[in-house]
Amino acid sequence: MTNNGTILSVKDLKTYFQTEDGVVKAVDGISFELKKGETLGIVGESGSGKSVTNLSIMRLIPEPPGKIVGGDVVFDGIDVRSLSIDEVRKIRGKRIAMIFQDPMTSLNPFLKVSTQLMEVTQLHLGHDKTQAYEHGVKMLETVGIPDPRSRMDGYPHELSGGMRQRVMIAMALSCDPELLIADEPTTALDVTIQAQILELIKDLKARMGTSVILITHDLGVVAGMTEKIIVMYAGKVFEQAPTKELFSTPANPYTRGLLKSVPDPAHEQGKELYQIPGLPPDVAHLPPGCPFAERCDRVEDICRKEYPPFVQINEGHHSLCHFAKEVYEESRREKAAAA
């Protein structure tokens, strides 16, 4: 860990995919830092590059067609990109763990839960079968699964969606990782189970001091879970800020659009809900200028011609927009008017 407590530093990360339609710049120059015990939220529409960013950190990009073509990923002082596959495997699962989007496809349907849980600690902690089995039971109990011994001997299809997700969390936390990456951990779960899973991650983070990266397209999920947020669009960071500041005074039209798209319980009946017009661009054929220009409600000629600068608003708050400071001031006025 660095002197300022940073456990993960990502600088100018670029991950491209070779396709029949050309080079897809899925992640194109992402930079951020994560401190010990901190939770970072990464949000954005589907296809914005959220998952690819974190698969790149884990060195799980399939080559070909994908390739990390540039940038640095430094975990606890270790240059992850320079490691051999064997060296990466010693870190992956032990010091850095990931909860994947869909537990049904992440768990092997042909293997018992016990086999899949035991493999992690046998590989990374040197447990024998008895130790690994008992540790697995303990982890299932930790994540709130009732009757853990009987669940250990079951198959994934015999568990509910919430239980399968808890098994994935138990597997990810089996070696007390220093960094947990949760890739849309509540997708396809009902609201009650979503709340339980998020509370579980928050509780485990508090007890173990684990740093967390939470990937989601649901801004409501990150509101009470994170200290800071990155908003991604077309493989770029469009805005990054402390969570409270981003929600109260966003400085990017895209972020404002995402926030306005969140349903409001006080929404006037019969009035159409807001949605950002159009669709995200094809990242293999990005237009000149700002990638969001064709969907932006305050677009001007410069937006279609020149790529926007990454403007600093406050300490820790940056926005990729020609009019970032004006958008920020608009947000401040709206906040003051609503108070």
Side-chain angles (χ1 to χ4, degrees):
M1 197 184 308
T2 60
N3 292 333
N4 66 356
T6 299
I7 194 167
L8 178 69
S9 175
V10 177
K11 293 183 181 177
D12 201 27
L13 180 64
K14 297 180 181 180
T15 303
Y16 298 170
F17 290 82
Q18 291 285 345
T19 71
E20 292 180 356
D21 294 329
V23 178
V24 173
K25 297 180 179 179
V27 171
D28 195 18
I30 300 297
S31 298
F32 64 86
E33 288 189 347
L34 182 68
K35 289 183 168 53
K36 174 71 174 175
E38 190 173 54
T39 300
L40 167 71
I42 301 182
V43 302
E45 293 171 290
S46 296
S48 60
K50 306 184 299 296
S51 295
V52 174
T53 297
N54 291 284
L55 289 171
S56 300
I57 292 170
M58 295 281 284
R59 291 275 301 273
L60 288 172
I61 297 296
E63 296 187 23
K67 188 174 183 180
I68 302 172
V69 299
D72 298 314
V73 177
V74 179
F75 171 72
D76 195 16
I78 302 167
D79 182 359
V80 177
R81 285 199 60 205
S82 68
L83 299 180
S84 67
I85 293 299
D86 288 339
E87 289 171 328
V88 171
R89 284 175 179 155
K90 291 177 183 177
I91 295 176
R92 188 196 297 148
K94 184 178 183 181
R95 301 187 67 191
I96 307 176
M98 189 165 184
I99 304 169
F100 295 92
Q101 281 190 38
D102 185 357
M104 195 61 211
T105 55
S106 300
L107 294 169
N108 191 321
F110 297 103
L111 298 178
K112 289 182 179 181
V113 169
S114 59
T115 304
Q116 300 182 63
L117 268 175
M118 290 163 63
E119 181 183 29
V120 180
T121 55
Q122 285 178 306
L123 177 65
H124 291 299
L125 302 182
H127 284 177
D128 59 30
K129 285 188 176 181
T130 302
Q131 289 173 320
Y133 188 90
E134 291 303 320
H135 187 82
V137 172
K138 178 186 171 185
M139 290 308 301
L140 291 186
E141 191 175 13
T142 300
V143 298
I145 290 183
D147 195 9
R149 287 191 182 275
S150 67
R151 299 300 180 189
M152 279 285 281
D153 295 320
Y155 289 89
H157 72 270
E158 297 175 309
L159 305 179
S160 67
M163 280 192 178
R164 286 196 294 266
Q165 193 63 287
R166 287 170 189 266
V167 170
M168 286 298 300
I169 294 172
M171 195 180 300
L173 296 173
S174 286
C175 299
D176 292 343
E178 294 147 73
L179 171 61
L180 175 66
I181 300 172
D183 190 354
E184 303 200 27
T186 59
T187 298
L189 300 178
D190 65 60
V191 177
T192 304
I193 302 299
Q194 279 189 25
Q196 291 175 1
I197 295 295
L198 293 174
E199 196 59 38
L200 174 63
I201 293 173
K202 191 187 293 186
D203 178 57
L204 292 169
K205 173 200 164 189
R207 283 196 283 123
M208 298 179 178
T210 306
S211 304
V212 179
I213 297 177
L214 181 61
I215 309 164
T216 182
H217 56 262
D218 187 341
L219 283 163
V221 167
V222 296
M225 287 283 294
T226 62
E227 283 81 46
K228 59 186 181 184
I229 296 177
I230 288 174
V231 180
M232 289 189 67
Y233 185 79
K236 296 280 190 181
V237 172
F238 257 52
E239 187 165 8
Q240 61 184 36
T243 300
K244 289 182 180 178
E245 185 168 340
L246 185 126
F247 273 83
S248 64
T249 50
N252 194 286
Y254 177 58
T255 308
R256 282 170 61 95
L258 289 177
L259 291 169
K260 284 169 67 178
S261 300
V262 177
D264 184 349
H267 183 78
E268 185 182 333
Q269 188 173 0
K271 187 178 179 182
E272 190 173 338
L273 290 168
Y274 178 82
Q275 62 179 4
I276 300 174
L279 295 170
D282 177 1
V283 288
H285 304 96
L286 286 173
C290 176
F292 187 62
E294 295 307 314
R295 307 175 70 193
C296 186
D297 58 7
R298 60 166 302 145
V299 62
E300 296 190 20
D301 285 344
I302 190 173
C303 305
R304 294 190 174 94
K305 295 175 183 175
E306 296 181 19
Y307 195 80
F310 201 48
V311 179
Q312 180 170 354
I313 306 299
N314 293 312
E315 185 177 354
H317 189 174
H318 296 77
S319 174
L320 190 76
C321 181
H322 289 289
F323 305 103
K325 292 186 177 178
E326 289 90 332
V327 175
Y328 176 73
E329 290 302 325
E330 286 173 19
S331 297
R332 285 187 62 187
R333 288 194 292 269
E334 289 176 8
K335 179 188 175 184

